[in-house]
Amino acid sequence: MSLTGVPILSILTFLPLAGVLVVAVMPGSGPGAAKRFWSVGLAVSLLEFAISIPVLIAFDPAVAGMQFTEHRAWIESLGISYSLGLDGISLWLVMLTTFFVPLCILCSFTYIQKKIREYIISFLLIETAMIGTFLAMDLVLFYVFWELMLIPMFLLIGIWGGERRIYSAVKFFLYTAVGSIFMLVAIVVLYFHHQQATGEASFYLFSLLDLHIPVEMQFWLCAAFFLAFAIKVPMFPLHTWLPDAHVEAPTAGSVILASILLKMGTYGFIRFAMPLFPYATHQFIPIIAGLGVIAIVYAALVSWVQPDIKKLVAYSSVSHMGYVLVGLFALNMQGVQGGIYQMLNHGLSTGALFLLVGMIYERRHTRLMEEFGGLAKIMPVFATFLMIATLASVAVPGTNGFVGEFLILLGAFKSYPLLAIIATSGALFSVIYMLWMYQRVMFGPVDKPQNAGLSDLNWRETVTMLPIAVLIIVMGIFPGLFLRQMDASAERFIHTVKSRYQTYVALEEQRLPNGHQIALWTDLIPGEPEIREGVSPTHGGR
């Protein structure tokens, strides 16, 4: 399938925004108004997913660089361009976004009873922001979409959230905004450094990749980017906003937060921070990998003692995102592919868990495990979906979670064996707390009279859960279908970071006194000799 000449990425990005305009001008009175809002929101999100399918089909997995690119001047005097592109790393994140938004709208029909027009507008606006973030190749354009995401998410938590919604919404906004401000400063510094070095004004990523950034400057710029992305992941100890946001957000808000928004942080590391600042990145690897392992173990232990099911899932989300960081910063093929795959896995399994917690909360208006028991006898369909999501979360072979964690640990063992061994304990802890949760909620006697009359999932809830369950199994049994699309792009990413790092090392050795040698981080990585010999320093291409 050819999409030549079709601005497909712009259509994907701004179709939800067109839906926002339609919903905004629709008549808001009468008994059928709410139904019309839901219908238009669902139709636009389904159309967005349908349009993303040809992109997946037409995508060429053999091409490592950007595809379906769109590049034109936006604010020419400042060197700001409208640049969009898609590669094997961003492809599946875009697909994950278009897949989940209609499910989130579908699951909200009965739960959301007020300000429905505003709710639909918020969801379609955040879809535009998320898609744009994954496609933007100009740093200013990326920053605009990155910041745009804050507004609808703030509203989703602050208007339709729980009792402490205002506190959680403000906390989420402040944490993310602080990191974003530092990143904006770093972007401006990069811009002026590029202008001074080349005489040209540009925020275009691939122009900046051709730039030599002094090592001393790299550390500060890298730290600013890392802070913004670390908060979004969220990385320990910057994670404290996430459990509050998850617990207070409406069900669909928790799903979109866990499934998509957290991935914007790890995507930022891959797309911008690590290639732009390879020397500083290599110096930060032990710190980032160590914090990732701490998050895996710490959040798993905290999950173990949670009485609230949603809070348990929230902390488990922090733990599983720690695996993604460990994989990406292993900087080898297994680790990077495992990290990207785990981003998708986490979106599916954690999104499914939040959906199911929301469905049971609608029936009982409580999330405390002690209030349940024996639900498998009266809600067998619910129990089946919860078991599939639970098994995926604990990485049982045959589910998507196993493939991601296996690749991550394989890559981590090659790069930092001790940290990999410690990270493995997190998998054991997740088995304990997830199966403990399932046992308390699903098995045993139905000793609460309020539970005896609970209804099983209806057709709408079943339709919401079924595609997620199918994908969990398909990704577990046929991972090659998904890994194949990211092979070339992941390899190019690793080569770009390592070869550019080698270039900086060579320059620094020339600058330092004779006889003084810089220790390569890759000297600590067994089985990775290719960056020390046989590879010429390049900028990784476009």
Side-chain angles (χ1 to χ4, degrees):
M1 178 182 292
S2 175
L3 296 176
T4 305
V6 179
I8 189 67
L9 299 188
S10 290
I11 295 172
L12 269 178
T13 303
F14 294 108
L15 176 63
L17 191 59
V20 167
L21 299 178
V22 172
V23 174
V25 301
M26 286 175 64
S29 59
K35 186 176 181 180
R36 289 195 296 272
F37 293 148
W38 287 120
S39 299
V40 171
L42 183 60
V44 171
S45 62
L46 285 172
L47 179 60
E48 175 82 348
F49 177 66
I51 292 174
S52 68
I53 298 297
V55 175
L56 176 62
I57 296 173
F59 183 84
D60 185 353
V63 176
M66 294 293 164
Q67 302 182 42
F68 317 112
T69 54
E70 301 175 33
H71 184 80
R72 58 186 62 90
W74 181 17
I75 307 177
E76 193 169 0
S77 61
L78 296 177
I80 301 174
S81 62
Y82 176 79
S83 301
L84 302 179
L86 183 79
D87 66 357
I89 296 171
S90 52
L91 170 68
W92 289 117
L93 294 173
V94 170
M95 294 302 302
L96 189 70
T97 304
T98 63
F99 172 78
F100 258 108
V101 171
L103 298 182
C104 288
I105 293 176
L106 191 62
C107 82
S108 304
F109 278 8
T110 58
Y111 184 77
I112 301 300
Q113 298 292 328
K114 64 177 183 179
K115 300 183 183 298
I116 295 171
R117 183 205 302 269
E118 291 81 359
Y119 185 82
I120 297 297
I121 288 174
S122 296
F123 249 96
L124 294 179
L125 183 59
I126 204 171
E127 184 170 21
T128 282
M130 293 185 298
I131 296 289
T133 299
F134 293 134
L135 297 179
M137 292 295 103
D138 180 278
L139 265 65
V140 171
L141 186 64
F142 167 78
Y143 188 81
V144 168
F145 285 122
W146 177 273
E147 288 294 276
L148 180 62
M149 171 277 308
L150 282 178
I151 300 170
M153 196 66 218
F154 176 82
L155 295 176
L156 286 171
I157 299 173
I159 297 176
W160 296 279
E163 293 180 1
R164 300 175 71 243
R165 59 185 180 273
I166 301 301
Y167 166 80
S168 299
V170 171
K171 189 175 182 180
F172 158 76
F173 193 94
L174 289 177
Y175 264 77
T176 307
V178 167
S180 299
I181 289 171
F182 282 101
M183 181 170 66
L184 178 60
V185 172
I187 290 173
V188 173
V189 172
L190 267 177
Y191 166 80
F192 282 112
H193 181 64
H194 180 274
Q195 190 174 42
Q196 184 180 23
T198 66
E200 298 179 359
S202 179
F203 289 95
Y204 184 50
L205 172 63
F206 294 107
S207 295
L208 296 174
L209 282 175
D210 289 331
L211 186 65
H212 173 77
I213 305 170
V215 168
E216 295 80 2
M217 183 186 294
Q218 267 198 51
F219 279 98
W220 291 106
L221 298 181
C222 186
F225 273 78
F226 271 33
L227 178 63
F229 299 145
I231 290 173
K232 186 75 76 181
V233 171
M235 183 190 300
F236 177 91
L238 304 171
H239 68 284
T240 56
W241 64 268
L242 182 65
D244 289 322
H246 270 319
V247 170
E248 299 304 324
T251 296
S254 295
V255 172
I256 214 70
L257 183 61
S259 299
I260 314 297
L261 259 61
L262 304 189
K263 313 305 179 297
M264 290 165 60
T266 46
Y267 173 79
F269 281 120
I270 302 172
R271 179 67 69 221
F272 298 100
M274 297 171 76
L276 282 171
F277 316 112
Y279 189 88
T281 291
H282 277 75
Q283 311 313 311
F284 287 142
I285 281 177
I287 299 173
I288 303 298
L291 291 176
V293 171
I294 291 174
I296 292 171
V297 177
Y298 164 79
L301 293 175
V302 175
S303 297
W304 197 345
V305 298
Q306 294 304 315
D308 184 308
I309 307 174
K310 196 173 187 182
K311 210 161 190 176
L312 180 149
V313 177
Y315 275 105
S316 76
S317 180
V318 176
S319 180
H320 286 101
M321 288 303 292
Y323 280 106
V324 177
L325 289 173
V326 169
L328 295 181
F329 282 84
L331 269 181
N332 53 47
M333 197 63 176
Q334 294 89 350
V336 170
Q337 278 199 318
I340 299 171
Y341 206 74
Q342 189 66 6
M343 289 159 69
L344 307 178
N345 299 338
H346 176 270
L348 290 172
S349 59
T350 305
L353 288 170
F354 277 122
L355 283 170
L356 292 165
V357 171
M359 291 171 186
I360 199 66
Y361 180 77
E362 284 187 47
R363 289 161 169 77
R364 283 283 280 109
H365 299 288
T366 181
R367 296 185 296 260
L368 296 177
M369 280 181 270
E370 63 183 18
E371 291 295 320
F372 298 103
L375 293 191
K377 301 173 184 176
I378 53 179
M379 301 178 68
V381 177
F382 176 87
T384 301
F385 284 125
L386 184 60
M387 175 55 76
I388 293 172
T390 299
L391 294 178
S393 185
V394 302
V396 170
T399 66
N400 57 350
F402 173 78
V403 179
E405 287 192 16
F406 177 78
L407 288 173
I408 286 170
L409 292 175
L410 191 63
F413 269 108
K414 293 178 65 177
S415 297
Y416 22 72
L418 179 60
L419 289 180
I421 292 171
I422 299 172
T424 306
S425 66
L428 174 62
F429 293 139
S430 69
V431 170
I432 295 172
Y433 67 74
M434 289 301 298
L435 294 184
W436 172 72
M437 178 274 292
Y438 192 89
Q439 184 268 330
R440 292 187 66 186
V441 173
M442 290 291 110
F443 299 136
V446 185
D447 52 7
K448 300 286 184 181
Q450 302 95 320
N451 296 333
L454 292 179
S455 60
D456 206 351
L457 301 190
N458 55 38
W459 70 267
R460 176 180 57 83
E461 293 167 326
T462 303
V463 167
T464 302
M465 293 306 306
L466 189 59
I468 303 176
V470 169
L471 270 178
I472 285 173
I473 302 302
V474 170
M475 289 183 68
I477 298 177
F478 305 106
L481 296 175
F482 302 85
L483 293 171
R484 190 178 303 118
Q485 308 292 334
M486 64 180 77
D487 277 346
S489 297
E491 187 173 0
R492 186 189 71 152
F493 160 72
I494 296 168
H495 175 73
T496 298
V497 175
K498 288 186 173 182
S499 61
R500 295 194 73 224
Y501 171 61
Q502 188 182 36
T503 302
Y504 277 103
V505 168
L507 291 172
E508 284 300 294
E509 287 182 345
Q510 293 175 14
R511 190 171 65 89
L512 290 173
N514 292 335
H516 188 91
Q517 297 293 316
I518 296 177
L520 289 172
W521 164 254
T522 46
D523 290 334
L524 306 176
I525 306 179
E528 296 288 344
E530 65 272 16
I531 81 147
R532 294 190 292 276
E533 58 182 357
V535 173
S536 59
T538 71
H539 296 292
R542 286 164 173 69

